[in-house]
């Protein structure tokens, strides 16, 4: 993947990861690709409501196992995934502009300023 370009295959792979997490009963309230301008690459973010309760180490271990269980269908490495708390500033900013409901959407969100913060580029599956 060109680090500066999110293409359809990346979008489909991200959707597969979200579906696998949903199928495994790992609670994901929000999911989106987000372009990190400072390092000029895309990262797949998942907001886990129990992030603060169980901690990131346990959640990353669960995600790693799910990716391993689906290694023949999913081609996204764990290094491309970020798990964040529902209290994280990034999700708070996105929620100011959009909510999607519990399903999987497909919303390109580019060049927007929310509460003084530039969202250069994002692809949203779910924001709750």
């Amino acid at each position: 993947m060109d680090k500066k370009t999110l293409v359809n295959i990346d979008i489909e792979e991200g959707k597969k990861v979200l579906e696998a997490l949903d199928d495994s009963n790992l609670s994901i309230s929000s999911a989106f690709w987000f372009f990190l301008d400072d390092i000029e690459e895309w990262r797949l973010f998942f907001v886990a409501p129990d992030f603060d309760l169980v901690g990131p180490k346990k959640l990353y271990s669960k995600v790693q196992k799910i990716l391993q269980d689906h290694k023949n269908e999913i081609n996204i490495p764990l290094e491309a995934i970020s798990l964040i708390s529902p209290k994280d500033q990034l999700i708070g900013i996105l929620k100011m502009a959009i909510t999607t409901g519990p399903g999987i959407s497909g919303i390109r969100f580019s060049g927007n300023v929310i509460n003084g913060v530039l969202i250069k580029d994002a692809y949203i599956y779910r924001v709750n």
Side-chain angles (χ1 to χ4, degrees):
M1 161 169 115
D2 180 341
K3 291 184 178 188
K4 294 182 184 180
T5 305
L6 187 71
V7 294
N8 286 339
I9 190 73
D10 302 318
I11 292 168
E12 288 302 314
E13 289 294 315
K15 182 179 177 184
K16 287 179 191 177
V17 175
L18 178 55
E19 290 170 340
L21 296 178
D22 285 346
D23 290 346
S24 72
N25 295 320
L26 183 63
S27 181
I28 300 296
S29 59
S30 300
F32 51 91
W33 281 103
F34 192 84
F35 185 74
L36 299 170
D37 201 30
D38 55 337
I39 59 173
E40 295 189 337
E41 73 178 40
W42 286 90
R43 186 73 46 90
L44 183 56
F45 282 84
F46 294 104
V47 179
D50 57 351
F51 183 92
D52 298 312
L53 180 65
V54 301
K57 186 175 181 178
K58 187 171 183 178
L59 286 175
Y60 275 104
S61 292
K62 286 182 179 183
V63 171
Q64 184 176 25
K65 181 176 180 345
I66 292 164
L67 291 175
Q68 183 64 30
D69 290 346
H70 293 86
K71 66 182 176 187
N72 294 328
E73 303 115 42
I74 296 174
N75 294 310
I76 292 182
L78 185 62
E79 295 79 28
I81 294 172
S82 291
L83 299 171
I84 60 174
S85 165
K87 298 175 186 174
D88 191 279
Q89 180 184 10
L90 176 58
I91 191 60
I93 289 168
L94 286 175
K95 282 178 155 182
M96 288 180 191
I98 192 166
T99 56
T100 63
I104 298 177
S105 301
I107 303 166
R108 194 65 183 243
F109 198 74
S110 302
N112 293 284
V113 177
I114 305 167
N115 206 25
V117 177
L118 173 64
I119 306 296
K120 187 171 182 178
D121 206 356
Y123 185 88
I124 297 169
Y125 298 104
R126 177 185 302 154
V127 172
N128 290 309

